[in-house]
């Protein structure tokens, strides 16, 4: 299996505007022109893209819907009416193949998050940190991750449950707030308890690069006190944490990477990592 890069973004910023789509395209282009998306799919419709404007124009598609009582020609009384906010799915074809998708919060609950998932074939010549940091600047996430997945990394998730798996872009509130009961059932905070939903307490595993927004404040502050701020870089909205200096360490210095990862994990509260 060819190693894969994964970037996952979970944000409460409304990133549905076309300017966000254009900025994500530009983040790819400024990192390397070999990364720029050239195809977009909106459900079954496929489009070629070649500029940030093209990409931004297809970033969000609004589709109206209505639900009625019956199924016949008349269909009966209107029960519900609204809009689907459909996010783009894109790809980059060629030797450095990649794909991504954006998912927007539903119209009926604007308190939920938007998510961004990106995967690429790994190339050591690309500075993946640049792409990650530029996307973080655009999205201001509650959590962002960048990791290099190898066969070994993927094998460690085999047989694990949904929120325990660490095998690709890690996104969505449930990844950070859901817990497993003693009976083996997954539970999540009450959807009406906004403060509880925004208190992030878990990760399945520590990625090579992590961005912790304010939702992780309690967990990261405790970790920071233990490490003396080593490895943590702060910006105005959150904190970056990298395990080593180079993402290639996941492959080229695997034992060293594993050791450094376990050292950092030991500084977080017991139970913060699902395994």
């Amino acid at each position: 299996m060819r190693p894969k890069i994964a970037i996952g973004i979970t944000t409460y910023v409304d990133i549905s505007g076309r300017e966000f789509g254009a900025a994500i395209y530009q983040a790819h282009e400024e990192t390397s022109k070999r990364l720029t998306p050239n195809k977009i799919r909106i459900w079954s419709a496929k489009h070629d893209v070649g500029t940030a404007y093209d990409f931004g124009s297809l970033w969000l598609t609004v589709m109206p819907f209505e639900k009625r009582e019956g199924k016949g020609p008349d269909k009966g009384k209107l029960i519900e009416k609204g809009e689907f906010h459909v996010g783009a799915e894109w790809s980059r074809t060629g030797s450095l193949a990649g794909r991504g998708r954006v998912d927007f919060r539903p119209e009926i609950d604007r308190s939920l998050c938007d998510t961004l998932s990106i995967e690429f074939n790994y190339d050591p010549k690309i500075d993946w940190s640049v792409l990650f940091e530029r996307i973080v600047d655009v999205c201001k996430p509650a959590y962002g991750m960048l990791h290099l997945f190898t066969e070994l990394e993927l094998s460690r998730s085999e047989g694990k449950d949904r929120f325990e798996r660490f095998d690709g872009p890690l996104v969505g509130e449930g990844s950070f707030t859901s817990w497993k009961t003693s009976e083996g059932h997954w539970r999540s905070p009450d959807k009406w308890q906004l403060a509880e939903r925004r208190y992030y307490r878990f990760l399945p595993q520590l990625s090579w690069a992590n961005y912790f927004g304010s939702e992780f404040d309690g967990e990261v502050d405790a970790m920071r006190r233990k490490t003396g701020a080593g490895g943590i870089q702060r910006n105005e909205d959150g904190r970056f944490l990298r395990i080593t200096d180079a993402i290639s360490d996941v492959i080229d210095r695997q034992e060293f990477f594993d050791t450094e990862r376990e050292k950092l994990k030991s500084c977080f509260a017991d139970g913060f990592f699902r395994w």
Side-chain angles (χ1 to χ4, degrees):
M1 185 207 87
R2 187 169 179 177
K4 300 280 186 182
I5 287 289
I7 293 175
I9 298 290
T10 299
T11 182
Y12 293 100
V13 174
D14 180 359
I15 60 171
S16 62
R18 66 174 58 191
E19 69 276 13
F20 286 96
I24 295 301
Y25 183 97
Q26 289 166 345
H28 286 76
E29 186 175 49
E30 290 166 6
T31 304
S32 171
K33 292 188 183 297
R34 298 171 62 207
L35 301 180
T36 52
N38 53 21
K39 303 284 184 182
I40 275 187
R41 185 177 69 185
I42 309 295
W43 283 356
S44 60
K46 297 179 181 179
H47 309 267
D48 293 328
V49 292
T51 67
Y53 178 83
D54 294 341
F55 193 80
S57 297
L58 295 165
W59 181 245
L60 165 68
T61 301
V62 177
M63 296 185 175
F65 75 89
E66 60 178 39
K67 184 177 180 182
R68 294 184 176 271
E69 286 181 334
K71 296 182 179 180
D74 180 40
K75 295 187 178 179
K77 182 180 177 182
L78 180 67
I79 299 174
E80 185 180 355
K81 184 177 181 181
E83 295 175 335
F84 289 124
H85 289 192
V86 183
E89 297 181 54
W90 63 92
S91 60
R92 170 73 189 191
T93 56
S95 60
L96 191 54
R99 62 182 181 178
R101 64 177 292 157
V102 61
D103 290 290
F104 301 116
R105 68 201 73 186
E107 182 188 25
I108 59 173
D109 189 352
R110 306 304 294 168
S111 71
L112 293 174
C113 57
D114 293 347
T115 64
L116 189 63
S117 303
I118 297 172
E119 296 179 273
F120 271 99
N121 288 338
Y122 173 61
D123 186 331
K125 296 177 183 177
I126 301 293
D127 190 342
W128 299 102
S129 294
V130 171
L131 177 61
F132 178 58
E133 290 173 12
R134 290 183 181 177
I135 290 174
V136 166
D137 286 343
V138 172
C139 297
K140 297 178 172 49
Y143 180 68
M145 55 79 71
L146 163 63
H147 196 66
L148 174 56
F149 284 96
T150 63
E151 284 193 54
L152 175 61
E153 285 285 278
L154 292 174
S155 70
R156 291 167 171 168
S157 279
E158 291 178 2
K160 295 192 181 298
D161 264 355
R162 52 188 294 208
F163 292 124
E164 296 170 335
R165 297 185 68 82
F166 183 66
D167 54 7
L170 180 63
V171 298
E173 261 183 18
S175 297
F176 320 112
T177 60
S178 298
W179 67 93
K180 187 186 268 188
T181 67
S182 57
E183 293 82 19
H185 305 300
W186 287 101
R187 295 286 183 265
S188 298
D190 188 304
K191 67 178 182 178
W192 303 112
Q193 299 299 318
L194 187 60
E196 189 177 354
R197 281 175 38 203
R198 297 284 180 91
Y199 175 39
Y200 284 14
R201 297 177 290 164
F202 306 105
L203 282 179
Q205 179 59 286
L206 191 63
S207 300
W208 175 76
N210 306 263
Y211 182 82
F212 298 101
S214 60
E215 288 75 9
F216 273 111
D217 273 355
E219 306 297 337
V220 176
D221 285 345
M223 178 266 184
R224 191 169 182 242
R225 287 192 291 271
K226 288 186 180 181
T227 61
I232 294 182
Q233 295 178 326
R234 178 184 282 274
N235 70 7
E236 61 179 312
D237 300 301
R239 284 144 292 193
F240 287 97
L241 174 65
R242 293 180 185 167
I243 294 176
T244 66
D245 291 336
I247 197 169
S248 59
D249 289 335
V250 179
I251 293 177
D252 298 337
R253 306 171 71 193
Q254 179 254 313
E255 289 186 9
F256 168 72
F257 171 77
D258 283 348
T259 298
E260 294 302 302
R261 175 194 258 173
E262 292 305 313
K263 284 181 184 176
L264 282 174
K265 285 173 64 177
S266 70
C267 296
F268 286 84
D270 291 344
F272 181 74
F273 295 100
R274 300 193 191 276
W275 51 279

